[in-house]
Amino acid sequence: MDKKVYIIVVTWNGMKWIDFCLRSIQNSLYPVTTIVIDNKSSDGTPDYIANHFPEVRLSRSDKNLGFGKANNIGMKQALDADADYCFLLNQDAYLQPNTIAELIKTAEAGEYGIISPVHLNGNASHVDAYFRDYVMAKSPYYLDNVMLKGKETLFESQFIPAAAWLLPRKTMLEIGGFDPLFYHYGEDDNYCLRCLYHHRKIVFSTTAFIHHDRGATIGNSVMYNQKIAFRHIVQDCADINNGIGFIIQKQGRQFYDEIGLWFMYLFTGKWKMLHNFLWDYCKILGMIPQFRHNRKQNKTIGANWIYRF
């Protein structure tokens, strides 16, 4: 009997990719239901979906909720419909016909927190560079298996980007959704850290693939680099694998280093490299109550940020 699989796609001005994305889902050999949460696109994306993909369960937000919160809404809709699995898919990513079937086969054979396919680039000519450098290169046994011509097809990793995640129902009910501390970028890092804290395995299968058309994402690197220093501080403060003492010590050392760099850039005329790190730390101090609440919540088993807030 087929498992109930809900694919969740969060869209925002996604006309460049959405037709390819949703048609790839239509071509899935495994039956799925598609949920789209649109983050108030201004380029006609939701109207295009409504007109060309009537089978899609489309929700239109009246504001841009960000990646994490929009996915949480999709997960809640899927859980309420008794989904066995949710598959989170970026709007700029495309399935191969057997992707879902291969991932379900893997998921049913073991107990995992996150199961991912291998991420290829947009035309499937290479492995996605980010996936290669941040996942495969850091997976303890992947390179050994390849070089020694091993037969393993499933590999653990401490982090996999959320462009294509299969989440079992148990993961969503026990780990929850994305932490609202993160609006865009950083939410998948935090989710993986929470899985590791609760001893949930994060794996990728070399029998399943998606195409991530990252190269066509205009402004992707610009968006990623916006407020990156502040986001890294938030990631450290929200990491429940580290105690408060460790975080204070690490941030203290980082603050000391930042002062030195700030004066160096100032006195050498490299003003474009200056950033208002003092304001970053002031904001962090104001967020301490929120960090305490969210850390406590994320240490607790439950559907945090989906049903519990």
Side-chain angles (χ1 to χ4, degrees):
M1 181 177 173
D2 289 330
K3 297 295 181 179
K4 293 180 71 173
V5 179
Y6 281 71
I7 295 183
I8 301 170
V9 181
V10 174
T11 55
W12 181 74
N13 292 344
M15 281 299 295
K16 178 174 290 187
W17 315 278
I18 199 61
D19 192 75
F20 292 103
C21 177
L22 295 182
R23 292 198 187 283
S24 77
I25 294 173
Q26 285 182 333
N27 292 331
S28 172
L29 297 176
Y30 199 95
V32 299
T33 301
T34 305
I35 294 173
V36 170
I37 310 295
D38 185 76
N39 270 333
K40 201 178 181 181
S41 294
S42 59
D43 67 345
T45 297
D47 290 337
Y48 184 86
I49 294 170
N51 292 330
H52 293 83
F53 300 93
E55 76 280 6
V56 168
R57 300 186 182 184
L58 174 64
S59 294
R60 304 176 189 235
S61 174
D62 59 1
K63 61 181 178 179
N64 191 335
L65 301 170
F67 180 81
K69 190 171 183 179
N71 267 301
N72 291 350
I73 292 171
M75 282 188 262
K76 183 179 184 301
Q77 291 181 13
L79 288 172
D80 288 345
D82 295 323
D84 295 303
Y85 294 93
C86 279
F87 184 71
L88 312 187
L89 184 66
N90 269 25
Q91 66 176 0
D92 60 351
Y94 324 128
L95 298 178
Q96 292 187 354
N98 68 337
T99 300
I100 300 298
E102 288 295 331
L103 292 176
I104 296 298
K105 188 188 303 181
T106 297
E108 291 292 297
E111 190 166 319
Y112 308 107
I114 300 170
I115 307 102
S116 171
V118 171
H119 300 192
L120 306 177
N121 63 0
N123 60 17
S125 59
H126 299 285
V127 174
D128 174 71
Y130 188 82
F131 190 88
R132 179 195 66 213
D133 295 343
Y134 286 87
V135 179
M136 287 181 161
K138 296 180 181 180
S139 182
Y141 305 111
Y142 174 75
L143 290 178
D144 286 344
N145 185 73
V146 171
M147 297 306 294
L148 299 176
K149 298 181 180 179
K151 297 182 180 179
E152 296 295 323
T153 60
L154 193 67
F155 301 92
E156 286 191 46
S157 180
Q158 292 194 326
F159 169 74
I160 297 176
W165 278 3
L166 184 70
L167 299 177
R169 183 180 183 87
K170 184 176 180 180
T171 297
M172 293 179 282
L173 292 178
E174 296 189 351
I175 305 299
F178 292 107
D179 192 321
L181 280 169
F182 301 92
Y183 176 71
H184 194 56
Y185 293 113
E187 60 280 295
D188 49 359
D189 300 79
N190 177 265
Y191 198 93
C192 288
L193 289 169
R194 287 158 55 197
C195 282
L196 295 175
Y197 177 86
H198 290 290
H199 307 291
R200 302 298 197 273
K201 291 182 179 179
I202 303 165
V203 297
F204 66 91
S205 170
T206 56
T207 65
F209 301 89
I210 58 110
H211 308 169
H212 192 178
D213 201 5
R214 188 190 302 275
T217 309
I218 298 173
N220 187 65
S221 60
V222 175
M223 290 177 65
Y224 178 80
N225 288 318
Q226 284 180 352
K227 301 180 180 178
I228 187 171
F230 177 73
R231 189 167 67 246
H232 285 167
I233 302 173
V234 174
Q235 286 176 315
D236 286 339
C237 293
D239 184 357
I240 57 176
N241 295 281
N242 295 325
I244 298 299
F246 175 85
I247 292 170
I248 292 173
Q249 184 183 48
K250 181 177 180 181
Q251 292 307 314
R253 290 198 304 266
Q254 184 170 318
F255 183 81
Y256 180 81
D257 292 340
E258 289 275 10
I259 290 176
L261 285 171
W262 194 88
F263 279 109
M264 183 188 74
Y265 294 145
L266 178 67
F267 293 135
T268 56
K270 297 179 180 179
W271 299 309
K272 288 185 179 180
M273 300 185 72
L274 293 173
H275 71 273
N276 195 354
F277 78 96
L278 288 173
W279 177 237
D280 286 348
Y281 282 94
C282 287
K283 287 191 289 184
I284 290 296
L285 290 174
M287 293 173 65
I288 287 176
Q290 188 177 3
F291 284 129
R292 285 177 174 167
H293 171 76
N294 289 33
R295 285 172 60 87
K296 181 179 179 181
Q297 192 86 321
N298 290 331
K299 287 182 178 181
T300 304
I301 292 292
N304 302 306
W305 320 122
I306 299 176
Y307 294 111
R308 295 172 48 181
F309 295 94

